[in-house]
Amino acid sequence: MNADQLRTAFSSLNGRDLRIEFEGAETLLVRNAMLIPSEQDDLLKVTDGSHEYIIECGRVAWIEIG
């Protein structure tokens, strides 16, 4: 998946739970996730209000929202 595809999918988060399965890595679970708007660094980021998570788009196998 590329950053644009994930940004489109994450635009509907609005505080819902997000689970991301990465190829060859652990699963990431973010409760009450929100997409951080695009910044100058061009990184795809989500937050739970306390932490920011930078997503390595090329390693995403699948996502679950809800």
Side-chain angles (χ1 to χ4, degrees):
M1 293 186 173
N2 66 41
D4 290 333
Q5 291 171 316
L6 289 174
R7 190 171 298 285
T8 299
F10 292 168
S11 67
S12 66
L13 284 171
N14 297 325
R16 294 163 51 188
D17 291 346
L18 171 66
R19 191 169 105 184
I20 304 174
E21 182 74 28
F22 293 95
E23 294 176 4
E26 296 287 324
T27 299
L28 172 65
L29 176 60
V30 182
R31 301 227 182 257
N32 304 313
M34 301 284 291
L35 175 65
I36 296 175
S38 185
E39 300 176 328
Q40 290 180 354
D41 57 15
D42 288 326
L43 297 172
L44 180 62
K45 299 180 224 176
V46 295
T47 184
D48 61 5
S50 298
H51 303 89
E52 289 186 5
Y53 302 89
I54 299 171
I55 310 302
E56 189 175 344
C57 302
R59 295 189 59 200
V60 173
W62 56 268
I63 62 173
E64 177 184 31
I65 297 173

